[in-house]
Every structure is written in C-alpha cells, then in structure tokens.
Amino acid sequence: MFSINKPLTQEERFQKLTTEPVPHLVLSLAPPTIITQLITTLYNMADTYFVSQLGTSASAAVGIVLSLMGIIQTIGYTFGTGSGVCISKFMGEKKRDIAGRYASTAFAFAFGIGVLLMVFGLIFLDPLVRLMGATDTILPYAREYTRYILIGAPYMVCTFVLNVQMRNQGNAFFSMLGVASGCIINLFLDPLFIFTFRLGIRGAAMATILSQFISFSLLFFYTQAKSVNLTLRLRDVRPTKKMMREILMNGFPSFCRQGINSLSAVAMNRCAGPFGDAAIAALGITQRVVSFITSVLIGFGQASQPVFGFNYGAKNYQRIKETYRFCMQLAVGILLGTGVLLLIFAPQVITMFRREDMEVISIGTRAMRCQALLMPVESVAIIGSMLMQLTHKPIRAAVVSMSRKGLFFIPCMIIMPYLWGLDGLVWAQPVADIFTFLLTIPLTVSVMRELKRELT
C-alpha cells in the first residue's frame, strides 16, 4: 500500500496530491497514518495492560493520568495541526519559505509551553492529581506516574508537533517510523521496568517517557536531515500577529477536540468515583480499547488531510468533495465491522486487562457493548471535523470537535448517573454520540455548499 522508495520532491508531492485518483491516493497515504494512530494509542494500552497486573487501584491510576496525557497531546496537536494546515496550504501554493517559518515557530512555542507545564505540574503535583479524579486509594499510584510524565512533557509535546507537520507535508511514512520505533521499545521496557526491575507503576511511566524521547529524537533528526522536508531553523522563529493568529485559529479545533478529551476524562473519573475504583478502572479500559479501534478511522481521516489542504490551496473543489465522500464510505464500513466484533467479544477483551476482578469485567463489558452499538456514527463527526479544519472553517470544526466529548458527553456524564445510576454512567457516551451526529450533518452540508461557491 505504501512505498519506502526515495522520498518525493515537493513538486512531485504537489502533483501526486492534486492529480492522482482519490481512492488510490488516500489508501496509499492511509497505512502510515493508521499505524501511527494505533501506535499512539498502544502507548497507553501497553501501560494499562501491564500496570493492571499490579491491582485495580493501579490500573485505575493509569486512567486518571489519561487526562494529563490528553493535555500534552492537546498542546502538540494544537500547534502541529495549526501550523500543518498552513504548511499544506502554502506548499500547495508553492511558498516553501513561508511554510518553513510556520513550522519552526510552532515547534518553538510548543516546546516552551511544554516546559511551563512540566514546571507548574511538578510544583502542584498533588492538587493536579486530585483534580484529575484520584481517590485516596488511587492517589499514591497516580502521583508516581504523573511525576515522570511531567518530566517528559516538553519533548512529548514536540513529538506530536513533528508528527503532524510531517504528515501535512505528505510524508506520513517517515512520521510513522519515528513513532513506531518508540512504541516497540515501550512494549519491551514496560515489563522490564515494572516486573524485572520491580519499579511498579513508576517503571511504566519511565518506560513511556524514554520511548517517547526516542520517537522525538528520530523525528527531529529526520526533519533536519532530509531536504525534502521543511527544516526547522532557529532563525525562522519569527512570530507575527498574523502568523500566530493563523496557527492558533487553525489549531483551535484540535485544541477543542484534545482539550475536551482531557476534561471529559476528568469528568468521567470523578463521576465514576462514587461507584468505586472498579468503575474507574472499567471505564478507563473501555475508553482505551474504543480509542484503539477509532484510531483506524482517525488514521484514514489524517491521510486525507494533505489531500484536503493541497487541493484547497489549489482551489480544486471536486477533489475535496470526492475525498470526503470516499473517506466517509470507508469509515462507516470500518466502524460497523469493528462494532459488531466488540459486541460479541467485549467480555473477553475486558478480561485481558483485569482477569481477577469480576466487577471490573462486568462494568467494562456493559460499557463497551453500549459504545459498540453506535460506533459507526462517530465517522460523521471525525471526518467532518477534519474537512472543516483543512478547508479553513475553524469555528465549525471546533464546535464539532467539542461536541462528542464536551458539549454533550460531560453533561450526560454528570446528569445520567445521577438519574439512572450505573446504567446512566455506561450509556453517557453513546447518547452523546447520537447528539453529535445530529449536530454534524447540517454543519458539513453548509461547509460543502460554501466551498462550492468559493472554489468553483
């Protein structure tokens, strides 16, 4: 599906993204982005699996720290996507120098914010962990895990920036290699540090930040070593009001999507707290498994990003429309098939993580089956949001991005358990998915109509 031949020049990449048949183009770009997404979720999946062997409270602690990982991703994807949208547009217009300034400036700002997160997070460590939803029994595990993740925050943020920037240049394969290398190392380091060196949950966190550092180093080296990529240069860090406004506006949907994911994780942990550590652990496992499945869909959507961006810059409406239609058909088929599998095998999947705790298995099975029922509708929001973001409709993209995990999920998570107890807790996400679907359809239609008038 994809090639490891000599990287394309910028002119060759422009021709490929603006002329090659859309189905073949998206499918050729998709494997690296899908693998990258799967690998990103595998970091947390691996920690969840190995740490769960230490007990239910330790397993729940990984779920607690998920919101901090979400904050790190939020910063990275905000600056990465915000600059990446501009990069693909300027490269579609063949303005490479301007694209390089956007890439360098976004990288520098993201690193600085990552440093601030590390410093203030370590100073206010206990309040931060409590805020994320840690109970008294979970607190010691969550505190230990969080401390090490904060230490790695600056370069973890930049890993996401580089990943997105390279992908938006149409160079997803080498982006995938950098992330994949770190994940493979993490899978070896987790059991080594946790069990062989007897470091417990601290070992899981150390394995994560070491493997993420390797990913960052490989991505940074490749960016600097290959002339076909935009090279990051200190002299190109020249922020202007116009540049920062464009980066932040275009990154705003990612900020909303990722930031809301962090807030929703906090809301979920705090609302599940009254039902015990088993409920927190069960919902945390369910979220990771479902995220692993939907990462395939997100990978297909991300493969379409340079296609949307380059053709928007080239004012080619028909290819934008064709790309959206193809991605939607593919996405619905993928989520329909995987949803059926989760309905059937939910108990076995949950048992893989907490074999000894029947309460975790019971709650997790119910939650996973409820989400599996409505998985296909997620495709509308994810693909629609990416379309809006890459065609410079940031406000509507932000609204869609915020809806599934924020505008609808957080109120459902607060209200439904209060009214229906545990049933309300496990049905909160599926109900939020229905409302998100109903909101996204008219917004996507309006964007398509505007693009037709704007570009034709």
Side-chain angles (χ1 to χ4, degrees), residues 130-347:
R130 287 286 191 185
L131 179 64
M132 291 189 294
T135 63
D136 289 339
T137 51
I138 296 173
L139 180 64
Y141 298 100
R143 182 196 295 125
E144 194 73 18
Y145 195 101
T146 300
R147 180 181 292 112
Y148 284 91
I149 297 301
L150 286 169
I151 292 171
Y155 61 81
M156 289 168 70
V157 165
C158 292
T159 301
F160 290 110
V161 174
L162 293 174
N163 178 25
V164 178
Q165 287 183 346
M166 290 175 65
R167 190 172 63 238
N168 274 271
Q169 295 174 61
N171 203 1
F173 178 74
F174 288 96
S175 171
M176 176 201 72
L177 285 184
V179 178
S181 301
C183 179
I184 293 170
I185 292 170
N186 186 57
L187 290 173
F188 284 101
L189 291 183
D190 259 341
L192 181 67
F193 285 7
I194 295 172
F195 304 115
T196 305
F197 295 162
R198 300 180 183 276
L199 295 174
I201 197 168
R202 177 176 47 161
M206 292 173 64
T208 297
I209 64 171
L210 284 173
S211 57
Q212 287 270 10
F213 181 74
I214 292 169
S215 290
F216 165 76
S217 301
L218 290 173
L219 289 172
F220 186 79
F221 172 79
Y222 181 76
T223 298
Q224 301 305 97
K226 296 291 183 180
S227 60
V228 294
N229 290 312
L230 296 174
T231 302
L232 301 176
R233 297 185 178 93
L234 188 60
R235 66 174 180 268
D236 283 339
V237 181
R238 291 181 281 170
T240 63
K241 288 183 180 180
K242 178 178 180 294
M243 178 187 292
M244 296 309 300
R245 182 171 63 250
E246 288 183 350
I247 289 174
L248 294 176
M249 281 297 293
N250 288 315
F252 187 60
S254 292
F255 173 82
C256 294
R257 180 169 55 248
Q258 299 294 332
I260 286 296
N261 284 346
S262 298
L263 289 177
S264 69
V266 172
M268 182 183 72
N269 291 329
R270 295 183 72 88
C271 292
F275 298 93
D277 289 359
I280 296 176
L283 292 183
I285 292 169
T286 299
Q287 289 295 325
R288 280 168 172 76
V289 172
V290 173
S291 295
F292 185 77
I293 299 298
T294 56
S295 65
V296 177
L297 168 60
I298 294 172
F300 272 109
Q302 290 177 339
S304 71
Q305 286 183 334
V307 185
F308 283 136
F310 272 66
N311 285 283
Y312 182 75
K315 301 187 182 301
N316 193 335
Y317 168 73
Q318 273 309 124
R319 281 180 66 80
I320 293 174
K321 180 180 178 181
E322 187 180 352
T323 303
Y324 173 77
R325 184 185 296 121
F326 176 74
C327 288
M328 277 299 307
Q329 292 170 348
L330 203 59
V332 171
I334 290 171
L335 290 190
L336 183 62
T338 52
V340 171
L341 291 176
L342 283 185
L343 279 171
I344 297 171
F345 298 108

Side-chain angles (χ1 to χ4, degrees), residues 8-26:
L8 300 176
T9 65
Q10 290 301 328
E11 180 60 30
E12 289 171 337
R13 192 169 296 159
F14 175 84
Q15 293 298 323
K16 177 184 176 73
L17 292 168
T18 56
T19 61
E20 190 171 305
V22 166
H24 179 268
L25 177 60
V26 173

Side-chain angles (χ1 to χ4, degrees), residues 90 216 376 405 431:
F90 285 125
F216 165 76
K405 286 292 188 179
V431 170

Side-chain angles (χ1 to χ4, degrees), residues 347-366:
Q348 290 85 348
V349 172
I350 299 297
T351 301
M352 289 172 56
F353 293 90
R354 282 302 297 148
R355 186 178 302 276
E356 299 84 2
D357 196 322
M358 295 307 298
E359 189 177 5
V360 171
I361 295 171
S362 175
I363 297 172
T365 298
R366 292 170 63 188

